Amino acid sequence: MPNICVTIKELVNYAVARQMIEECDRTYATNCLLHALGLSEYSDGGETPAERPLEQILADLCDYAVEKGLIENDSVVYRDLFDTSLMALLTPRPSEVIAKFHALYKQSPEKATDYFYDLCRNSDYIRTYRVKKDLKWVYASEYGDIDITVNLSKPEKDPKAIAAAKLLPPRSYPKCLLCHDNEGYAGTLASPARGTLRQIPMTMAGQDWFLQYSPYVYYNEHCIALSAAHTPMKIDRSSFVKLLDFVDLFPHYFLGSNADLPIVGGSILSHDHMQGGHYTFAMEKAPVEQELCFKGFEDVKVGIVRWPMSVIRISGTDKSRLVELADKILVAWRGYTDEEAFILAETNGEPHNTITPIARRRDGAFELDLVLRNNITTNEHPLGVYHPHAELHNIKKENIGLIEVMGLAVLPARLKDEIAVMCDAILKGRDFAEDEAIAKHRDWFLAFKQNYTFTPETVREIIEKEIGATFVKVLTDAGVYKRDEAGRAAFLRFIEAVNTSK
């Protein structure tokens, strides 16, 4: 164990170097850390340590806390709670962050978000060393380059932490993971530490919202816009106003919303929120393959996008006109039934049709992509007709939300080990059925086995390629109109229904 005072000095040096605190804050910050570590004396011996990665500094401080009984259990959940409490002492207060953000925004929106994003990484709110562990590759599909990721940055809870969390009283504060009340929240075994979370207030559609970043950053500058009020997800006219207001405020970012119904919606439907960032997805690059025209909206460019899901793209320079047309399409889709295409607006009073909308700026104009969604289930497809079908569940079983709709696969962490085991089994000629960990992949593998010659140099590349191809099939399953003659005809029937609607 290194001299703990020297390690404290390393952490303070880190914060000063990244302008999280000023040089004149050094003594104050040191004393705050001493108290947090149960110390009342300090002597670094005049030593000036070489800079080490933050991960190593915090690991040493956590090791010390475990040794002294300050951390109850030496596991990732307890260590995260503790090291976040240390970093919270060095993270600027919300008022300071907001003031600096606004000052930089006057220079340019991009300078403001650059500062805010850098702060979130420097404060360890975004644990960049974990994000780097995510598996990532690109699959060259007929629809463009599809991003494939296996998410490893969200830590797995250990059994002791899970057991302890079950003993906690029901959570009532914060109400959910997206509430503004999380800013500065110390966390519990059941709720992640958010002492380093900072949010920027903003106004969208005349309502109070906040901007923050996702701690798991699935793509560059992955941000979240969240309602100040704890209200459920709802896609309506005001959603389009909010989306376009946001990209007006931050022209270098896109913003999209998950759908507001189960199966086709996001993982949190209880709090209205949207996700955006500084990234270009494959869907944005996808061209319009068929231009359309809606009566009364001849000034708005409209077309069907060449994409495995069913996407209407509208663009123009007048935000209000886009809102009018997007709302007309949404209202028509909510009530639209086409039994021949198995599009049912509702069954037994349960609504099925909704939209996943995405906004961006392009060449000075505003652009909205409206992705048609339907969450109907059947006996054959109990998890959803327009959801990954059962033969694809070995790769992806979870809901297809906003990020995946745009062309970035967020695949389960289990695939990291399963890919390695599959590669080993292929090279050794073992039947997948012999290993419980990969038995689920047997039929999937046999379907393409004869297409390749596997070598130690190519086996992983082939598996990754086939995972990418499978994800494109996942998106195709999620599309309400298939890309065949019948599907195109059905899509145009809906377009005509919009044109004839009041």
Side-chain angles (χ1 to χ4, degrees), residues 135-153:
L135 300 184
K136 297 181 180 181
W137 66 91
V138 174
Y139 171 65
S141 80
E142 63 178 297
Y143 303 103
D145 289 344
I146 304 294
D147 295 303
I148 310 295
T149 67
V150 176
N151 178 43
L152 306 173
S153 57

Side-chain angles (χ1 to χ4, degrees), residues 110-232:
E110 199 157 355
K111 283 187 177 180
T113 55
D114 283 350
Y115 154 72
F116 190 32
Y117 189 58
D118 285 344
L119 172 66
C120 291
R121 291 187 294 179
N122 290 335
S123 70
D124 210 37
Y125 167 72
I126 297 172
R127 296 175 184 260
T128 55
Y129 43 87
R130 286 187 184 163
V131 175
K132 288 176 182 176
K133 295 177 182 177
D134 290 352
L135 300 184
K136 297 181 180 181
W137 66 91
V138 174
Y139 171 65
S141 80
E142 63 178 297
Y143 303 103
D145 289 344
I146 304 294
D147 295 303
I148 310 295
T149 67
V150 176
N151 178 43
L152 306 173
S153 57
K154 191 178 291 188
E156 298 283 343
K157 290 187 177 182
D158 64 278
K160 287 185 178 179
I162 293 172
K166 288 181 179 179
L167 301 177
L168 296 175
R171 171 183 175 143
S172 60
Y173 179 89
K175 290 181 181 177
C176 78
L177 293 173
L178 293 175
C179 281
H180 176 57
D181 294 337
N182 284 282
E183 187 176 43
Y185 187 63
T188 68
L189 295 178
S191 305
R194 290 292 180 254
T196 53
L197 169 64
R198 295 295 180 265
Q199 299 175 330
I200 303 296
M202 58 182 177
T203 302
M204 291 162 52
Q207 298 176 13
D208 292 333
W209 280 57
F210 290 95
L211 171 68
Q212 69 173 61
Y213 287 102
S214 165
Y216 307 116
V217 286
Y218 293 135
Y219 49 85
N220 186 48
E221 296 179 48
H222 179 181
C223 68
I224 302 171
L226 53 97
S227 171
H230 181 71
T231 54

Side-chain angles (χ1 to χ4, degrees), residues 303-323:
I304 294 174
V305 179
R306 188 178 187 279
W307 193 245
M309 297 184 70
S310 309
V311 187
I312 301 172
R313 178 171 293 164
I314 65 176
S315 62
T317 56
D318 187 337
K319 289 194 297 182
S320 64
R321 295 290 287 159
L322 295 192
V323 170

Side-chain angles (χ1 to χ4, degrees), residues 4 26 28 53 56 138 276 300 305 316 325 401-402 427 435:
I4 193 63
R26 180 179 290 275
Y28 172 82
Q56 294 178 15
V138 174
V300 179
V305 179
L325 179 53
L402 168 69
L427 293 175
D435 191 326

Side-chain angles (χ1 to χ4, degrees), residues 33 55 203 346:
L33 291 170
E55 180 183 14
T203 302
E346 59 87 22

